[in-house]
Amino acid sequence: SQEEDWQSNWKPFFQPIQIGEVLEVTPPWLSDQKSSNRTRILIDPGRGFGTGHHLSTSLALELLESLLKTYSEKPQWLLDFGTGSGILSIAACKLGCQKSIALDYDEGSMSDVVRNVQLNGLENQIFPMQADQTCLSKKFPVIISNMLLAELKRSASDLAYSLEPDGTLLCSGILDEQVKELEETFRIQDFVPSRNLTREGWSAIEFQRAFSKLATTIY
């Protein structure tokens, strides 16, 4: 099939990539190669978006890594909203999170997530779920979402609802010129930006609730 041809032609270009201070994303067919002493994430690209080669994914990973460094005890749970390949859930657990829910509306990406979770031996920590429009009733200390602006705006109230009062929301997938619009969207939900990573036209933003203990230190 065309898709198989495309994938086999593409394979040579998917090389290991180092992200942030400790992470390295590697395709499974190169997993035998000795690499650096970095924390390795194995990703079989499949259809699910997220190999770390796109800036929105690498910015999300960097923001996640630096956030998790600030915890003396790592969060019990994380919600990965719009998981794609599952890469952010896998990174979160490898960086010390206990468990992650990998949520996606796209049925097709679920098999990719399951495969990538297995490749990394994290079946007991990551729970792939196909989302419907009803929001999760569980509250999370950390939510990460790497989606396009339109999807982030559409999901803003769900994201706000699912975050613990002192939780942190990480958003990636937006262009620099969309930052103000996203910040405005979340200001309506009582969130303030606490950090911003920008590179080559892409941005990722960390949000806290305006009334949380964490946010008051910023003003």
Side-chain angles (χ1 to χ4, degrees), residues 35-159:
S35 64
S36 59
N37 336 335
R38 285 178 165 247
T39 301
R40 183 185 259 189
I41 298 170
L42 294 175
I43 293 289
D44 191 341
R47 282 174 304 184
F49 182 77
T51 59
H53 286 72
H54 194 279
L55 268 168
S56 68
T57 308
S58 52
L59 287 172
L61 287 165
E62 285 179 47
L63 211 52
L64 178 65
E65 181 188 304
S66 58
L67 172 70
L68 291 177
K69 264 203 310 219
T70 67
Y71 285 83
S72 49
E73 276 185 46
K74 298 290 184 262
Q76 288 279 328
W77 281 96
L78 173 132
L79 173 60
D80 174 11
F81 195 101
T83 188
S85 67
I87 188 169
L88 299 177
S89 286
I90 292 163
C93 290
K94 295 220 170 179
L95 290 168
C97 266
Q98 311 270 325
K99 295 187 162 91
S100 177
I101 288 183
L103 196 71
D104 211 298
Y105 290 108
D106 176 24
E107 198 178 348
S109 72
M110 282 295 112
S111 56
D112 293 335
V113 178
V114 169
R115 184 169 68 247
N116 287 324
V117 166
Q118 288 170 343
L119 281 171
N120 290 278
L122 293 170
E123 294 92 331
N124 300 327
Q125 289 177 263
I126 297 175
F127 306 97
M129 282 176 61
Q130 193 185 345
D132 54 23
Q133 290 303 327
T134 57
C135 186
L136 289 166
S137 54
K138 188 172 171 49
K139 306 272 188 199
F140 296 84
V142 180
I143 299 178
I144 189 164
S145 187
N146 179 22
M147 300 194 297
L148 300 172
L149 177 68
E151 296 169 326
L152 287 167
K153 288 176 71 172
R154 195 166 52 238
S155 307
S157 58
D158 282 351
L159 292 166

Side-chain angles (χ1 to χ4, degrees), residues 135-198:
C135 186
L136 289 166
S137 54
K138 188 172 171 49
K139 306 272 188 199
F140 296 84
V142 180
I143 299 178
I144 189 164
S145 187
N146 179 22
M147 300 194 297
L148 300 172
L149 177 68
E151 296 169 326
L152 287 167
K153 288 176 71 172
R154 195 166 52 238
S155 307
S157 58
D158 282 351
L159 292 166
Y161 178 82
S162 300
L163 192 71
E164 285 179 1
D166 267 341
T168 304
L169 171 65
L170 307 176
C171 294
S172 191
I174 55 164
L175 299 166
D176 289 353
E177 59 264 26
Q178 299 172 331
V179 167
K180 290 256 180 299
E181 194 177 339
L182 188 70
E183 288 180 352
E184 194 49 50
T185 299
F186 280 103
R187 190 170 293 122
I188 296 163
Q189 305 286 343
D190 284 327
F191 281 86
V192 290
S194 48
R195 241 181 122 223
N196 187 339
L197 283 183
T198 298

Side-chain angles (χ1 to χ4, degrees), residues 16-31:
I17 180 169
Q18 298 192 341
I19 295 171
E21 292 177 19
V22 300
L23 296 172
E24 180 177 275
V25 185
T26 303
W29 55 88
L30 295 178
S31 64

